[in-house]
Amino acid sequence: MTPYYITTPIYYVNDRPHIGHAYTSLAADVLARWKRMQGRDVFFLTGTDEHGQKVEKAAQDAGEEPQAFVDRVSTSFRELAVAMGFSEHTFIRTTEPRHYAACQALWLKLRDAGEIYKGEYAGWYAVRDEAFYGPDELVERDGQKFAPSGAPVEWVSEPSWFFRLSAWQDRLLALFDANPEMIAPPSRRNEVMAFVRAGLQDLSISRASFRWGVPVPDDDQHVMYVWIDALTNYITALGYPDTENPDWRYWPADVHMVGKDILRFHAIYWPAMLMAAGLAPPRRVFAHGWWTNEGQKISKSLGNVIDPLALVADFGLDPVRYFLLREVPFGQDGDFSRRSLTHRLNGELADVLGNLANRTLSLIQRNCGGLLPDGPVAAEDAAILDALPGLPEAMDGFLDRQEFHLALEDVFRHIRAANGYITVAAPWSLKKTDFGRMEAVLRHLHTALRTYATVLMPFMPTSMDQLLAQLGVPEEARNLAGLATPLPAGTLLPPPSPLFQKVELPA
Ligand code: MSP
């Protein structure tokens, strides 16, 4: 079994989880579930980023000691994972002792290799982004300078350790050239390459003006720059520096799933540091877009932060999971509205998928005593049935490219075709005229529904499991391998119940 390593960013604990966090992790969860269903040996990592000035300040504002504060807020991210139905994962926290050990080991490795040196930093820093900016990147309003993200920057001048990033420019470009799939989507890859081509400066990797971070080895005045500490989490979790640890087999990561705002860290700084330490860079970094809320940028100050738990309470978990990955081409920005979520739930999940399942399963219940019928394949059945074996492979292609929206669009194209098929074949009117043909049509619809439900499992695990149960598929066969073994005719199906509850359109 080839290992598959998928990660989410580790989330800052300065705030409660919101839709952005849920989104990045959801995409990673779907990949983890899909690969596991294919029989891959999956390591799925998420966690919390607990150091840095931003978190320290949030703790101060809350009137708490940093450690007590991060312990408390970190819990809400674990709760999010449960509420969003994220599958088996490892949850890492950067305040764990094993993480200090990994960061310090990596630091010493870089220091011994001559890749870092001590100097003096003077430049612009945005605490909100925990990022340094060049003067040419800033705009000025009313005497205050701002980063491209809108975060205010402050002038920082202090002694600092540096990573010789400038020396990695050519080797990074060579890496990107040799691995055209490494940074995705392509538009983001172009941005990253242009940034690297424009020239890289050495990176300040320690701070001396506050204490909330991983101590720099042999220099008690400094803590590590929070991003150096944060990125290292991806190897801490696999046991670094102990490369004999059995989990080390998962490195390099197959996909680092990130938002577009943190691509530079993952696609430039991180691969350069890894290579400088003699480690393999990640295979792929995918940067997704950002959600706005009803057309507006989401921000705490606007008070329009979307709470994923509230959405799940109002619409149900699977409709929220479906919506987030269906509504917007993955990689692009998108706009959230309750109205569009309602349309997707009512118009696609309930009317297209729910309706097909309901029509098929109630007819089997009513006309066949709940026993799975069987029958020969006629010419009119070919279009639906012949398309089924190719579906898992098509899904795999979409998911390897992180085209979640296309994967869902594709399955739903098949489900719509099956709805067309049931309407034309009209099994409800065959009961009296051609019972055998009715049985055959229901059997084929059952076969099709089983395939749709199976490939949709990673997206909507609860309702698709429920659908497979209603289709009489035993638990251990509710996966891709199970599709190879058709259910025997005569299998008793439980009475069906609706999979999706429609909701009222918001006013
Ligand atoms: N701690 C860093 C990551 C370190 S990884 C080594 C961090 N944390 S974060 O909590 O600010 O955000 C993490 C993720 O949430 C990012 O992938 C970001 O893109 C995502 N989102 C935050 N707001 C978002 C939207 N409005 N829309 C979509 N995703 C957004 O960055």
Side-chain angles (χ1 to χ4, degrees), residues 251-269:
W251 192 258
D254 288 271
V255 183
H256 286 318
M257 184 60 73
V258 301
K260 62 178 185 181
D261 52 317
I262 56 175
L263 179 59
R264 206 182 273 185
F265 300 94
H266 285 84
I268 301 175
Y269 305 162

Side-chain angles (χ1 to χ4, degrees), residues 27-332:
D29 180 54
V30 170
L31 293 177
R33 285 176 180 272
W34 176 258
K35 294 294 171 188
R36 247 182 233 129
M37 190 160 71
Q38 285 186 316
R40 294 282 289 271
D41 166 22
V42 172
F43 195 104
F44 175 18
L45 181 70
T46 188
T48 40
D49 189 353
E50 309 190 352
H51 291 127
Q53 255 175 302
K54 170 152 98 170
V55 170
E56 184 180 59
K57 184 169 181 309
Q60 276 161 6
D61 292 348
E64 287 176 66
E65 282 305 313
Q67 189 63 53
F69 175 78
V70 298
D71 287 347
R72 182 168 62 76
V73 185
S74 177
T75 308
S76 57
F77 283 89
R78 283 177 194 264
E79 288 163 3
L80 175 77
V82 175
M84 289 298 296
F86 299 146
S87 57
E88 189 193 328
H89 58 271
T90 296
F91 193 97
I92 189 166
R93 300 182 52 191
T94 55
T95 50
E96 291 174 49
R98 61 168 175 160
H99 182 64
Y100 279 58
C103 290
Q104 291 174 338
L106 183 64
W107 183 282
L108 290 175
K109 184 100 187 169
L110 293 172
R111 200 185 70 187
D112 294 347
E115 297 282 352
I116 62 183
Y117 63 90
K118 199 166 181 182
E120 189 76 28
Y121 180 80
W124 296 101
Y125 192 76
V127 174
R128 203 169 87 192
D129 300 345
E130 296 282 18
F132 300 99
Y133 290 97
D136 46 331
E137 292 181 282
L138 307 176
V139 292
E140 188 164 337
R141 277 193 309 275
D142 307 326
Q144 169 67 53
K145 288 188 193 298
F146 295 90
S149 61
V153 294
E154 59 190 51
W155 183 257
V156 171
S157 170
E158 61 187 41
S160 171
W161 287 86
F162 287 87
F163 169 57
R164 291 186 199 283
L165 182 64
S166 59
W168 285 89
Q169 181 172 350
D170 293 342
R171 283 173 286 183
L172 282 171
L173 289 172
L175 175 73
F176 302 153
D177 277 330
N179 299 280
E181 306 298 325
M182 183 182 156
I183 305 170
S187 57
R188 299 281 168 212
R189 166 184 158 86
N190 294 340
E191 277 174 27
V192 166
M193 290 191 65
F195 185 83
V196 176
R197 274 197 209 99
L200 295 174
Q201 312 239 306
D202 288 351
L203 181 68
S204 165
I205 55 170
S206 75
R207 302 296 307 274
S209 52
F210 65 99
R211 302 304 312 152
W212 186 237
V214 179
V216 167
D218 309 322
D219 187 344
D220 14 314
Q221 296 309 306
H222 288 249
V223 294
M224 292 182 197
Y225 170 37
V226 63
W227 267 101
I228 299 303
D229 152 7
L231 289 162
T232 306
N233 94 86
Y234 299 129
I235 55 175
T236 302
L238 304 183
Y240 187 82
D242 175 16
T243 53
E244 299 295 309
N245 186 309
D247 286 340
W248 189 253
R249 71 178 183 281
Y250 293 104
W251 192 258
D254 288 271
V255 183
H256 286 318
M257 184 60 73
V258 301
K260 62 178 185 181
D261 52 317
I262 56 175
L263 179 59
R264 206 182 273 185
F265 300 94
H266 285 84
I268 301 175
Y269 305 162
W270 181 227
M273 279 167 52
L274 285 164
M275 292 192 290
L279 299 172
R283 292 185 209 280
R284 187 165 164 95
V285 180
F286 191 101
H288 66 67
W290 270 47
W291 288 92
T292 48
N293 185 0
E294 319 262 350
Q296 271 193 316
K297 188 179 151 107
I298 298 176
S299 85
K300 250 203 294 190
S301 48
L302 285 175
N304 65 349
V305 175
I306 301 167
D307 174 5
L309 303 190
L311 289 185
V312 168
D314 292 351
F315 293 88
L317 173 57
D318 283 351
V320 171
R321 289 177 59 110
Y322 174 81
F323 170 81
L324 290 175
L325 293 176
R326 175 66 189 86
E327 180 73 3
V328 178
F330 199 68
Q332 293 178 27

Side-chain angles (χ1 to χ4, degrees), residues 324-345:
L324 290 175
L325 293 176
R326 175 66 189 86
E327 180 73 3
V328 178
F330 199 68
Q332 293 178 27
D333 293 338
D335 187 42
F336 173 87
S337 76
R338 288 191 161 240
R339 177 165 283 268
S340 358
L341 208 172
T342 307
H343 279 302
R344 295 278 178 196
L345 167 54

